[in-house]
Amino acid sequence: MFDKVLVANRGEIAVRVMRACRELGIDTVAVYSEADRNAGHVRYADEAYNVGPARAADSYLDHEAVIDAAKKADADAIHPGYGFLAENAEFAGKVEETEGVQWIGPSADSMEQLGEKTHARKTMQEADVPIVPGTTDPVEDPEEVTEFGDEHGYPIAIKAEGGGGGRGMKVVRGPEEADDQLESAKREGEAYFDNDNVYLERYLENPRHIEVQIIADHHGNVRHLGERDCSLQRRHQKVVEEGPSPALSDELRERIAEAARRGADAAGYRNAGTFEFLVEEEDREDGELLGPDANFYFLEVNTRIQVEHTVTEELTDIDIVKWQIRVAAGEAFDFDQDDVDLEGHAIEFRINAENAADDFSPATGGELTTYDPPGGIGVRVDDALRQGDDLVTDYDSMVAKLIVHASDREECIARSRRALAEYDIEGIPTIIPFHRLMLDDERFVAGKHTTKYLDHHLDNQRLVDAQEKWGTETESTGDDEEVVEQEFTVEVNGKRFEVNLEQRGAAAIPAGGSGSGSGGGQKPQPAGGSDDGGESVVEGEGEQITAEMQGTILDVKVEEGDEISSGDVVCVLEAMKMENDVVASRGGTVTQVAIGEGDSVDMGDTLVLVD
């Protein structure tokens, strides 16, 4: 067994992995960006190393920085969690080549074969697993998109090979959208997964999202741990997951599980992974299930642990993360497939820092002035933040996960109502009101919701009413005395120590150097920074188009002197791993562009001036 594991991630999943390590008697190492210097996963770890600035590409996605941290800490294994580098075959290969460091996950070759979607589709075709009509080679030209649309019809999904969870996926509803959506999908794929290859699929209009948890050791043993239903999504992002699926008959359930097993066998898969499928929903009476003849299609393989692995753990009483570590250490399973029993029903609720009533817009900052999670029988909370912590908005919006387990779905829903009512968070908005609404939603309770339900069928006024009824305070009520804090971080023999100097009612302490963090009030920097290290200065008069949230500029659509109209897109801002178009509220002439591609901006920063 390993002595020390570096967790190449942040937030609740980093703490989740560290807890498994601690129970196995393994020391843990955290990595953190400047934005996460006070994060919960840093506090929990035995050691912690700074791997760069807030921008993920310069820290959590920096291959060499993460591997160097493992070497400095003398870690003998790296666990990637999910997201960031978890499905990056190049990074996995580098870890495999690093002497004395073991990769906790499937091999780089398996990740190459299954993690990149075009390779996975080819493998599934050979294993006689049904796939959605689409391409098996990367698409480069918009004409390929329109030709596919002419043959298979619209809409079309353009998907990044390394993507998942809706990131790197764009929907083309007509030939006129092919150029822009192809460019956007490739850009997201490059930004988040270091891979701008994309492929095409027929876009199913009314599917359920079903996935099968697989785990395999290096001794020829493959186990499936049942399925999860992840159909409640907004903008292709899962918000509620449950198991078993409330829509599948036992016969259909077995067909899908068998397809997953065939796929895993064909790929020679090892460690934990998830085979995802789309199941076409049908008109059903109340209580009627989808029969064995229902259409289902392979979607993708997630070559990693997933956010919703907790649902399966509650149903099977199998610690998947521990088995990831044990498999990587060479251990064989001590249970057979017949030993895997799914007991009762489990639901996971993602507690995101978002306002569901405002199109699930992410919080732009705040402090957890109150944080009191629920407890009691059948209630589990996976988190990393604690009361008094500031919300870090540079990455995803998830604060925690609430997992509820009970003897059946009816009791699980009742227990979930109780647990969500107990969950007390103030200082930031969360989607707890949305979750409470869903537990009284007729379609969700009946198990008839699909992946399109939230985006196309749910009345937004119900979300507004839920937010008013169950929403919490989002502003701190502390005193107004200015507190200036200067933090120093030092490492001695691999151990992280922090020294804080705090002054109240005093002028700000000057901070030297350009790497002192992401202080508020700074103007956006030119792409790559200015030659003299100075700030970009906004000059002139006119309408200021400002950033509504903290993020990174992915694309600038205008130049000085351009004539624009109300509603025109001036730039694309990435925040919370989603692309957001920034539009002009009125027409005019662009007199200054204060940002460039790759710049990090804070909420309120001026992006463009229009006269």
Side-chain angles (χ1 to χ4, degrees), residues 133-135 143-157 200-203:
T135 62
E143 287 186 7
E144 297 178 73
V145 180
T146 56
E147 288 173 1
F148 184 87
D150 292 340
E151 180 179 355
H152 296 283
Y154 292 91
I156 302 167
L200 308 178
E201 277 185 358
R202 183 167 68 86
Y203 187 66

Side-chain angles (χ1 to χ4, degrees), residues 523-526 529-537:
K523 296 297 182 185
Q525 296 292 321
S530 62
D531 293 338
D532 60 1
E535 296 178 350
S536 173
V537 179

Side-chain angles (χ1 to χ4, degrees), residues 46-121:
D46 296 306
E47 302 173 30
Y49 290 82
N50 187 322
V51 289
R55 187 168 179 261
D58 299 323
S59 51
Y60 293 111
L61 291 174
D62 187 328
H63 299 190
E64 303 308 324
V66 173
I67 293 174
D68 284 347
K71 292 178 179 178
K72 289 177 183 177
D74 198 25
D76 48 7
I78 292 177
H79 192 300
Y82 51 70
F84 291 137
L85 296 171
E87 293 182 281
N88 190 302
E90 180 184 356
F91 176 69
K94 289 179 179 178
V95 175
E96 290 171 347
E97 294 169 359
T98 302
E99 185 176 355
V101 181
Q102 180 73 35
W103 172 251
I104 299 177
S107 69
D109 288 342
S110 288
M111 294 176 71
E112 182 76 25
Q113 184 179 12
L114 289 178
E116 293 188 346
K117 312 310 188 240
T118 53
H119 292 178
R121 287 170 60 84

Side-chain angles (χ1 to χ4, degrees), residues 478-484 503-506:
D479 60 60
D480 295 329
E481 182 181 19
E482 183 176 3
V483 178
V484 177
Q503 289 182 288
R504 293 182 176 271

